[in-house]
Amino acid sequence: MKPFKLAQAAVCLVLTWSSTLGQAQSGSAPVTRMQVQTQSDAPDLQCGLPPPKPRPPRPADPDPVEWPTQAEVDQQVQTYLKAASQRPEPVQNEGPAAAPLWPRVGASVLRVGIWSDSHLAAGFFTQELQRLSRLAPDQVRARFVPANLGRAGVRLPLRKTCVSPDWHYEPAHAQSDGAAYPGPGLVNMRSRQDGAWLALDLRSASRRAEHALVRLLYQQTERPILLALRVDDGPEQTISLQGPQGPAVLELAGQSGISTLALRVVQGPLRVQGLEWPVAPSVRLQMDVFGYPGATVGGWRHVRPESLAPWWPEPPYDLVVLAFGTNEGNVQPFSAQAYRQMLQASVSQWRAAFPQTACLLIAPGDRGVLLRRSQKGSMSAPRGAEAAAPDVLRFTRVHDEIGRIQKQVAQANGCHAWSMFEAMGGAGSAYRWARHNPPLMARDLIHFTVPGYQRLAQLMAQDLGWGPALFDPLPLPSPAANR
């Protein structure tokens, strides 16, 4: 495919395409339908972006950051565990009984929606869950693509993505302009100026074009929006979108699967809220991952439930997962009371959008701290200098508290809870995972390596009963039959 150019499209083609457009309703969002021509073997997508400028080498740090010694960690862990053993048990909040975590799927489809920060946005955790399901690759698909296109640290169900620098993100947790009315992923992409463009390869990893119907979710403005579209490297065509202000859908229908889609804003502004396509009847696991680096669960508190209703005219998920906490715990000083109030408000707002859906809160894992080389070994300083010893469990305390609060809020709202912190082994486990061979923790002691994310997924599967039996069409044996 030729690089996507910013040349002006032939606006006169608007009238040609207008005869193929129609208005329909999907929930409360107007739908503009457009027939497009596809190719059986469209060329590969070429972004045409200039290569990034090389970064100048950094000067050597005379006092680099390093991990604490294991002796420093172990000493503080012993003190922490002794204090934790004397902590009173938390008051259990009475709430509605939690629905089964995941119903027995049998021959039908299990629909899972996951909202998270960077930990699950990278896709390694969820890919391991998919592998553990033992389903064939073509039996696992996503229905939605969030407006995270081009965002670093995010893996999307797209073969390739090209994004011009003329877009900015509007995540709901940041309370930015338009964040109260986001797409399904709780984030929008908005064009800064006319000429902004996106180019997407929609094919699977095996280069198969599977989606003959693709829906672009966007916000209609008071004045018409003029877009230039190119499908499968065909001629660029121009379309004028107009209608009532609010959520709207541009539906592209091809005679066969659409391979590539290039979009340019001729006249905006344009606020993109994601992509959607139908899930094939052969799919057994629909897993939509809405991960955004830096996100907090507070995005749900700021969202108006009615703004999400147009995207989900019927309950779209059997289970919703909220996996947050790392970024909330990064706020210093951490206030457990403020976090509890924010989490409760966010879960309540989520519940307003999904009143009958099973839910799971995933608490963050342990987190370590990096010390300057000059700080290391201060634990062995004279007794009078003990007060100056660095606190290597500063984030451990916060993440442990976040996990306890999540359990309480989950119970009060009829949800399940699972803790990465507990699965890792509790206090100090970030350092142990970092020193594991192969390393399970990244060098920043915040994120995990690919094997680390895979290990966490395996631990959750063991704890919560995830596995191929969920998708077995044969009935499970009764407990009495195993005696």
Side-chain angles (χ1 to χ4, degrees), residues 6 13 36 54 91 103 130 169 225 231 320 332 349 369 417 471:
L6 297 184
L13 291 176
V36 297
V91 177
Q130 295 170 16
Y169 302 98
I225 301 171
V231 172
V320 161
Q332 300 294 317
Q349 195 82 324
V369 297
F471 306 94

Side-chain angles (χ1 to χ4, degrees), residues 107-188:
S108 60
V109 58
L110 176 64
R111 303 167 301 170
V112 181
I114 301 174
W115 282 262
S116 75
D117 51 27
S118 59
H119 284 302
L120 272 60
F124 306 117
F125 183 96
T126 51
Q127 283 186 339
E128 181 65 9
L129 289 180
Q130 295 170 16
R131 187 190 70 82
L132 293 171
S133 73
R134 297 186 187 173
L135 294 173
D138 60 354
Q139 292 181 304
V140 182
R141 287 291 182 269
R143 172 182 169 188
F144 287 100
V145 178
N148 287 351
L149 306 172
R151 182 69 166 85
V154 176
R155 298 182 70 190
L156 298 173
L158 300 170
R159 187 164 175 260
K160 189 174 183 179
T161 302
C162 308
V163 180
S164 75
D166 310 299
W167 300 84
H168 68 279
Y169 302 98
E170 299 176 328
H173 73 274
Q175 303 184 62
S176 54
D177 181 32
Y181 296 93
L186 302 195
V187 60
N188 301 320

Side-chain angles (χ1 to χ4, degrees), residues 247-265:
V249 177
L250 172 60
E251 188 173 271
L252 306 178
Q255 79 278 12
S256 60
I258 298 173
S259 297
T260 61
L261 169 64
L263 174 153
R264 179 170 60 86
V265 181

Side-chain angles (χ1 to χ4, degrees), residues 14-30:
V14 174
L15 296 178
T16 303
W17 278 103
S18 63
S19 63
T20 68
L21 304 179
Q23 293 291 332
Q25 291 291 323
S26 173
S28 59

Side-chain angles (χ1 to χ4, degrees), residues 369-435:
V369 297
L370 298 171
L371 303 179
R372 290 292 178 182
R373 182 176 294 172
S374 59
Q375 294 177 287
K376 295 181 64 176
S378 59
M379 296 295 297
S380 59
R383 182 168 297 180
E386 285 182 358
D391 182 5
V392 301
L393 301 184
R394 176 160 53 102
F395 291 106
T396 292
R397 294 180 175 84
V398 173
H399 284 209
D400 195 4
E401 182 68 16
I402 285 175
R404 288 197 299 271
I405 293 173
Q406 285 201 15
K407 282 185 179 179
Q408 296 167 18
V409 172
Q411 185 177 27
N413 291 271
C415 295
H416 299 263
W418 184 76
S419 169
M420 290 184 179
F421 181 89
E422 294 179 359
M424 291 174 64
S429 55
Y431 303 102
R432 295 192 298 271
W433 277 44
R435 291 184 167 95

